[in-house]
Amino acid sequence: MVIFSAIILILSCGSLGLYLAARIKKRPVELREALTALTLLDTEILWGSTPLPEAFSVLKERTEGSWKSFFAELERQVQEGTSAYMAWQETIKKEEKNFCLKPEDWQVIQNVGKGLGRSDHQEQHKQLELVKQQLRSMQEQALLTCDKQAKMWSYLGFLCGIAGVIFLI
């Protein structure tokens, strides 16, 4: 019985470590998907002169994962009459729990909403370009640190499980 309990403790702590490692590895992927989505939004606004509700609908169809539900919620709020800025802020508050992004990532993404629907195509394009540059920088930084941190959390999970077994025995 003791051996079984020890194995369960080690596996549960190890699973927690692997879960945290997977979340860390997912952040650069989500940042890349955000860059792709903002590029599509920029294209729809600048070249297509697409109204925002339709642009969000296009993004909903062309993005994947959590960003798909993000743009679906955004489209719904804008169609209900909420301003683009308020819809952007409310959608971030509602959907951020579905992402593995850090608060500083969300600060940059929030900046997109400031210019949406409030200025002409060129100004919105400039705003989106600035945010995309910031996200690229954050993605590069996340790529550099994610492997080290992911390994650390996976090892730490199993080691904490082993330490717990030693402590309890």
Side-chain angles (χ1 to χ4, degrees):
M1 186 66 169
V2 172
I3 293 174
F4 179 71
S5 300
I7 291 171
I8 294 296
L9 180 62
I10 291 170
L11 289 177
S12 61
C13 289
S15 297
L16 180 62
L18 292 173
Y19 170 75
L20 293 172
R23 286 188 56 86
I24 288 170
K25 286 183 177 181
K26 193 173 178 187
R27 180 177 172 237
V29 173
E30 288 181 347
L31 287 171
R32 187 186 70 237
E33 290 171 351
L35 279 166
T36 302
L38 291 180
T39 301
L40 291 170
L41 180 61
D42 191 21
T43 302
E44 289 295 324
I45 290 172
L46 186 63
W47 303 108
S49 297
T50 310
L52 284 176
E54 290 175 33
F56 294 148
S57 177
V58 169
L59 286 169
K60 175 184 71 174
E61 299 302 322
R62 295 182 70 188
T63 54
E64 297 177 4
S66 301
W67 288 108
K68 184 180 218 73
S69 64
F70 180 88
F71 286 109
E73 175 65 20
L74 196 55
E75 176 192 19
R76 184 191 65 76
Q77 286 191 24
V78 171
Q79 285 179 343
E80 288 177 354
T82 308
S83 72
Y85 174 72
M86 289 306 298
W88 190 266
Q89 300 303 320
E90 290 173 20
T91 302
I92 287 174
K93 288 178 187 172
K94 185 176 180 180
E95 295 287 324
E96 70 182 332
K97 66 185 177 298
N98 300 327
F99 291 86
C100 297
L101 299 176
K102 291 184 175 184
E104 57 265 22
D105 301 332
W106 286 112
Q107 287 293 333
V108 172
I109 293 170
Q110 278 182 335
N111 291 336
V112 172
K114 292 179 183 174
L116 286 179
R118 293 184 175 192
S119 55
D120 66 350
H121 301 302
Q122 293 298 326
E123 288 300 316
Q124 290 182 56
H125 171 68
K126 289 177 187 175
Q127 176 98 19
L128 287 168
E129 283 299 317
L130 177 63
V131 170
K132 288 191 303 187
Q133 286 176 353
Q134 291 172 330
L135 285 177
R136 275 188 207 101
S137 162
M138 294 175 113
Q139 181 192 15
E140 289 171 7
Q141 192 175 28
L143 281 170
L144 292 173
T145 61
C146 83
D147 285 335
K148 292 177 189 174
Q149 288 182 353
K151 283 182 185 178
M152 178 195 69
W153 281 107
S154 18
Y155 293 148
L156 192 61
F158 286 105
L159 290 174
C160 284
I162 293 169
V165 168
I166 291 171
F167 179 73
L168 291 174
I169 292 178

